[in-house]
Every structure is written in C-alpha cells, then in structure tokens.
C-alpha cells in the first residue's frame, strides 16, 4: 500500500531578474508533496527565510486550526529536473509560495506543490507503484519532459524502469 | 522599527483598505504598493517584482499584489471539507 506521496524534489532560490543570475543565487533542495487538493503551493516558512527572502504580501490561510491566519507570500524560483529520454533538463519557474509554520516533528516533505504550480504541467499517476510523472513542455514545444515523483514501492518502480528500458531497446 | 515582515503585513492591510477604489479601474493588474500608496501598475507579477527590486531594492517592505478580491484559502482540500481526526 502507498501511504504517502508522490513526492517531487525541487530546488528553491530567490527569483532572479536575469537568466544568467540563476547560478549565483543561493538555493536549497527540498522534497514537496504533489497535492492536487491544494490550490496554493505551500512551503515551510523557515525554508523561505533561510534563503534570505522577505514576503511580498500576506494572505489569509486556513490550516488545521480552522482559524484564518495571515501568512507570508514569497516569490521564488522553483527548479525541477525533467527527464527527456536519457537527458535531464532543469526547468525553472517563478512562482508564489505561501510560508506556513510547521510542527518541529520530522516529515518526509517540506511543502505542498499545489495547483497554482501544477497548472503548468500534466500529471500521470501510477497508483500501484506510488509513482507520479510530472510532464512539462520542452522549451521548443516539441516533446514533453517528465519528472518522476515517487514514494512507496521501490521494487515495483525498479521493475517498471527495467521494463521501460527494454521497450526503448 | 519592526522587521521587514512586519512592515509588509502593515502595508498589506493598507493595500486591502485601498482595494475597493483600485478594483473599479485596475482590476486584473498587479501593483507595487509602498508607504500606503500605489507606486506602479503592471500586467504581471514578475514585471511588478522586477520594478519593485529596481526601484526600492530587494526586501525593503513593499507589497506586490494583484488587484482582485482577497479570499481566505484553505491549505488543502481536507481542510476545506472540514476533515479532522478530532
């Protein structure tokens, strides 16, 4: 049974004004839960602040307390690796994230990738394997790029990877 | 003097107070709002952010916001439906 997931690995950094500044921006790699039930992308507030970011405004959000709270909105660059056959391409989006305080207990992810981010991509979820392909468009619009977001059954995923390789041959 | 975050929260409240007047003529635009007034209008968020950073510097207590009604958003669908273990 798949208890949790799918989880995508993304790199967050301060939004850059020019593409050539991407390499110089301090960044952090985190795990985020792909959550089609979340309308907005949410990140642990401490992570956004660790990048030296300041909020661009506040928005009222309702969490598990069921009480509306003013939460900071951060603008970030989100880099996500997409596989294009044997190649891996890093695609970068500039997107808002809501900073929320989280309990200090260990968690397998540090935020939710919500529909405000997911509207740019297509999802394909393999339930038995707990694997989710996030498919984005390549810059030239010719072929889809996919990011494997997964959890759960590693053996099943390995079998599927092997099968895909065989099919390609 | 408060932190930048506190300043942004204060500016957000001032922006919301000014919102009804802005909605009549500028609905759908993005604004840079600082010291209680709109500094510039833009077609998208990135353009507003770039303009704010160039004019005031990064993280100096401005608000970047869409000219649209503010809604309270549940973090995720489970919260929206009121689901809880309690």
């Amino acid at each position: 049974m798949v208890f949790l997931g799918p989880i995508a690995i993304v790199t967050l950094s301060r939004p850059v004004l020019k593409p050539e500044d991407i390499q110089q921006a301090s960044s952090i790699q985190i795990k985020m839960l792909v959550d089609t039930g979340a309308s907005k992308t949410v990140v642990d507030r401490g992570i956004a602040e660790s990048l030296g970011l300041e909020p661009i405004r506040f928005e009222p959000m309702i969490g598990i307390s069921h009480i509306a709270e003013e939460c900071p909105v951060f603008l970030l660059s989100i880099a996500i690796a997409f596989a294009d056959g044997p190649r891996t391409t890093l695609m970068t989006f500039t997107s808002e994230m809501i900073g929320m305080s989280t309990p200090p207990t260990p968690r397998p992810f540090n935020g939710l990738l919500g529909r405000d981010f997911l509207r740019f991509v297509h999802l394909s979820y393999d339930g038995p394997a707990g694997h989710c392909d996030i498919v984005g468009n390549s810059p030239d619009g010719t072929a889809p790029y996919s990011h494997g977001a997964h959890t759960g059954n590693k053996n099943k995923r390995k079998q599927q990877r092997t099968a895909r390789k065989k099919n390609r041959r | 003097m408060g932190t930048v975050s506190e300043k942004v929260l204060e500016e957000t409240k001032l922006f919301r107070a000014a919102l009804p007047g802005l909605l009549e003529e500028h609905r759908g635009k993005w604004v840079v709002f600082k010291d209680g007034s709109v500094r510039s209008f833009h077609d998208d968020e990135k353009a507003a952010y770039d303009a704010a950073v160039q004019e005031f510097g990064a993280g100096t207590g401005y608000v970047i916001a869409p000219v649209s009604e503010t809604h309270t958003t549940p973090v995720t669908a489970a919260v929206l439906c009121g689901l809880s273990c309690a």
Side-chain angles (χ1 to χ4, degrees):
Chain A
M1 178 177 281
V2 177
F3 289 103
L4 184 69
I7 290 173
I9 298 170
V10 303
T11 302
L12 307 180
S13 63
R14 177 183 286 277
V16 291
L17 299 183
K18 293 174 284 184
E20 56 266 32
D21 292 340
I22 288 174
Q23 299 294 334
Q24 294 167 5
S26 62
S27 62
I28 186 166
Q29 193 175 66
I30 64 166
K31 293 178 178 176
M32 299 187 78
L33 180 70
V34 177
D35 186 355
T36 58
S39 59
K40 301 213 171 177
T41 294
V42 176
V43 69
D44 186 321
R45 182 174 179 168
I47 286 176
E49 289 173 346
S50 74
L51 290 169
L53 291 169
E54 300 291 353
I56 57 168
R57 67 175 180 280
F58 279 73
E59 283 196 5
M61 298 287 291
I62 296 179
I64 53 172
S65 68
H66 290 262
I67 297 168
E69 294 174 63
E70 293 288 353
C71 293
V73 179
F74 298 96
L75 193 65
L76 296 113
S77 285
I78 305 174
I80 184 165
F82 286 94
D84 173 22
R87 291 184 303 167
T88 301
T89 303
L90 204 62
M91 292 181 75
T92 304
F93 304 80
T94 300
S95 182
E96 289 187 351
M97 286 194 181
I98 310 288
M100 295 195 78
S101 300
T102 52
T105 49
R107 293 176 314 284
F109 53 85
N110 297 101
L112 307 175
L113 270 182
R115 296 195 303 275
D116 57 345
F117 173 79
L118 298 173
R119 68 195 163 123
F120 297 117
V121 299
H122 294 265
L123 293 179
S124 171
Y125 184 55
D126 177 347
H131 181 99
C132 176
D133 279 330
I134 302 173
V135 183
N137 290 322
S138 60
D140 58 8
T142 54
Y145 284 0
S146 70
H147 173 94
H150 47 73
T151 187
N153 193 329
K154 286 184 179 175
N155 289 334
K156 178 107 181 173
R157 289 203 309 273
K158 192 174 178 184
Q159 286 167 8
Q160 289 178 332
R161 275 199 305 273
T162 309
R164 280 199 294 268
K165 277 180 189 170
K166 274 185 185 171
N167 286 341
R168 277 203 291 270
R169 283 182 207 133
Chain B
M1 188 163 159
T3 63
V4 174
S5 192
E6 289 167 347
K7 165 86 173 146
V8 174
L9 179 57
E10 199 58 38
E11 290 286 348
T12 300
K13 291 173 181 170
L14 294 172
F15 169 72
R16 285 180 196 156
L19 198 50
L22 294 171
L23 281 167
E24 287 179 18
E25 287 190 30
H26 303 286
R27 182 182 286 275
K29 293 282 185 184
W30 284 80
V31 297
V32 177
F33 191 93
K34 194 172 187 325
D35 298 330
S37 62
V38 174
R39 298 309 185 95
S40 54
F41 290 98
H42 302 272
D43 289 335
D44 59 66
E45 182 175 31
K46 187 69 168 49
Y49 177 78
D50 290 353
V53 171
Q54 285 187 353
E55 187 172 355
F56 305 114
T60 49
Y62 44 76
V63 158
I64 294 165
V67 181
S68 61
E69 289 85 355
T70 302
H71 300 288
T72 301
T73 309
V75 175
T76 189
V79 175
L80 178 69
C81 296
L83 298 178
S84 160
C85 294

